[in-house]
Amino acid sequence: MPDAREFARPLIARNVILRYGDIVALDGASIDVASGDTMALVGESGSGKTTLLRCFNRMVEPDSGLVEVGGMDVRSESVTGLRRHIGYVPQNGGLLPHWRVLRNVALVPTLLAMRDANALAARALDVVGMPATVFGSRFPHELSGGQRQRVALARALAARPGVILLDEPFGALDAITRSDLHEAFENARREFPVTMLRVTHDLAEAARLADTIAGRRAGRVEQCGPLDELYASPASNYVAALIDRALAASAQLKPR
């Protein structure tokens, strides 16, 4: 089997603009996510985090600007074809309620006619701590919220996509469950080092689970870089305030 890193693809957004009437959702947003890295989009509600994320799988179509996955303009491929090669984990998991866990996770490998789709699904479930021998025959309603999010992550991983988009996948969970999921997420990154872009309101979570952080405000990217860089040289008062609030909430966040 090829090294999982061969599947990773870079993400690029350049000067992306999107308006809803008089509301500017994205105001010249630009980011670069290197192949195999994880970037966290962090910022206040309404700053366009989820909107920018969804540009990459064309759930949102911007008015102008460039959006690329793996060096290819996302508009150069059909929406269906694009999404089959990009994993997506929404906040509610999005599992099909009438399908059992293993079938949910094997969905995309099956659609892509990949060999041993169930074996690929079982491996992904193992990586996130939900072994198919125990959970594969259960329905989503028989799982806890944290378990459903693990299964959603496994489904995004199973077909070995080049990119995974995560829209606040842990946002609706309690702190203890989120902490357990962080470990599952880190295991997944080691086993499947694809490119990941995730939305979160939690800078402490972003610092733990991402290589770079993009601080967003009012449709713009105020600053993008590793936490140490944002902490040492914040590009704006907003970024400084964002880090100060996170430091107050988590004494362990401050770089050593």
Side-chain angles (χ1 to χ4, degrees):
M1 181 176 295
D3 188 325
R5 286 170 294 186
E6 295 180 12
F7 295 97
R9 298 291 183 266
L11 300 175
I12 293 176
R14 288 280 185 276
N15 300 315
V16 178
I17 295 174
L18 176 64
R19 296 181 178 89
Y20 297 108
D22 294 333
I23 298 172
V24 181
L26 297 173
D27 188 12
S30 297
I31 59 170
D32 285 79
V33 190
S35 180
D37 278 4
T38 294
M39 175 180 285
L41 299 174
V42 181
E44 61 194 6
S45 295
S47 62
K49 302 183 300 295
T50 292
T51 302
L52 180 58
L53 178 95
R54 291 178 177 177
C55 287
F56 286 98
N57 63 359
R58 293 183 65 188
M59 292 180 72
V60 171
E61 296 277 1
D63 298 319
S64 63
L66 175 69
V67 181
E68 290 186 348
V69 174
M72 298 291 292
D73 190 317
V74 296
R75 293 166 295 187
S76 67
E77 187 175 6
S78 70
V79 171
T80 300
L82 176 72
R83 291 178 185 170
R84 287 185 179 178
H85 297 282
I86 297 178
Y88 178 60
V89 184
Q91 188 176 54
N92 64 3
L95 301 178
L96 297 173
H98 55 290
W99 282 12
R100 298 180 190 272
V101 164
L102 186 64
R103 189 180 180 191
N104 261 288
V105 178
L107 171 62
V108 178
T110 301
L111 289 173
L112 295 175
M114 298 176 73
R115 293 181 58 186
D116 302 321
N118 282 347
L120 292 171
R123 183 182 175 203
L125 283 165
D126 283 343
V127 168
V128 301
M130 295 284 289
T133 52
V134 177
F135 297 99
S137 62
R138 299 187 187 181
F139 288 99
H141 74 267
E142 297 176 307
L143 307 176
S144 68
Q147 288 172 334
R148 286 194 293 273
Q149 287 306 89
R150 287 174 186 260
V151 174
L153 178 58
R155 184 180 61 182
L157 292 164
R160 309 297 192 271
V163 170
I164 295 180
L165 308 175
L166 304 104
D167 189 3
E168 290 202 80
F170 311 148
L173 304 173
D174 62 85
I176 294 175
T177 302
R178 286 209 318 266
S179 180
D180 290 341
L181 277 165
H182 291 170
E183 182 177 350
F185 183 84
E186 290 175 324
N187 288 339
R189 286 191 66 195
R190 286 190 292 270
E191 184 73 13
F192 302 103
V194 298
T195 306
M196 296 189 184
L197 182 63
R198 56 179 295 133
V199 168
T200 180
H201 283 89
D202 187 340
L203 188 56
E205 179 179 281
R208 176 178 177 181
L209 301 178
D211 301 295
T212 55
I213 297 169
R216 295 189 52 78
R217 186 187 189 193
R220 296 176 178 269
V221 176
E222 296 258 322
Q223 188 174 5
C224 185
L227 174 65
D228 287 0
E229 180 181 307
L230 272 62
Y231 176 77
S233 302
S236 67
N237 291 335
Y238 174 72
V239 173
L242 188 69
I243 293 175
D244 285 344
R245 289 197 297 269
L247 289 173
S250 175
Q252 295 181 348
L253 179 58
K254 184 175 180 179
R256 294 181 174 84

